[in-house]
Structure formats: C-alpha cells, structure tokens
Amino acid sequence: MENINMVEVLGYMASVMVAISLMMKDIIWLRWINFVGCSLFVIYGVQIEAWPVAGMNAFVACINIYHLTKIYRARLTGKQAVAAS
C-alpha cells in the first residue's frame, strides 16, 4: 500500500467541502461550509507553495465571512426591532 500524503488528503477534503457547499439550499450553510473548504484550500495552497490557490481561497473565505456577518447583523437588527415594537 502506498503512503498516504496528508497534504494531498487535505486538498481532497477541501475539494469535497467546496463541492458540498454548492449543493446547499440554505445560504448560511452554503457560506459556512464553503468557508471551511476555502480555509482548507488556503492551508493546502501554502503547503504546496501554490500562492494563487492560497490567495484566491483566502479572498473567497473573507467574502464568506463578510456575508455571514451581514446576515447575522440583519437578523439581530430585525429581532431588536420586533422587541422594541
């Protein structure tokens, strides 16, 4: 049996997470799972010194966090408005 290259396994895990995220109907789940996949791709890209892979996925991970923050803040503002009524 061949040795398992852990960096390669990390790359496959990242690919699976991103693919699963694209099957989500709930935007919050999509963003969170995609964020995890992108974060794994950042680690993978750094490990294999593929800087475009690491950089692009870091950028997408930041976009996911930005949108998640907007979603959670909007929910919090909505709940506060209902409580004030």
Side-chain angles (χ1 to χ4, degrees):
M1 187 168 155
E2 294 181 30
N3 288 339
I4 297 174
N5 182 346
M6 293 309 290
V7 174
E8 193 172 328
V9 170
L10 180 64
Y12 286 123
M13 287 173 37
S15 296
V16 167
M17 293 300 289
V18 170
I20 289 172
S21 76
L22 297 175
M23 292 186 268
M24 296 292 113
K25 289 184 180 183
D26 182 350
I27 191 68
I28 293 174
W29 275 104
L30 184 150
R31 294 271 181 208
W32 275 114
I33 295 171
N34 192 270
F35 171 74
V36 170
C38 288
S39 298
L40 292 174
F41 262 129
V42 170
I43 297 166
Y44 172 75
V46 169
Q47 290 294 316
I48 66 168
E49 297 183 1
W51 306 117
V53 171
M56 189 276 300
N57 280 284
F59 178 70
V60 174
C62 290
I63 291 170
N64 283 317
I65 293 299
Y66 169 77
H67 284 290
L68 283 166
T69 302
K70 276 182 57 175
I71 291 167
Y72 287 126
R73 283 187 180 161
R75 282 186 175 183
L76 182 62
T77 303
K79 286 181 183 178
Q80 289 174 346
V82 169
S85 300

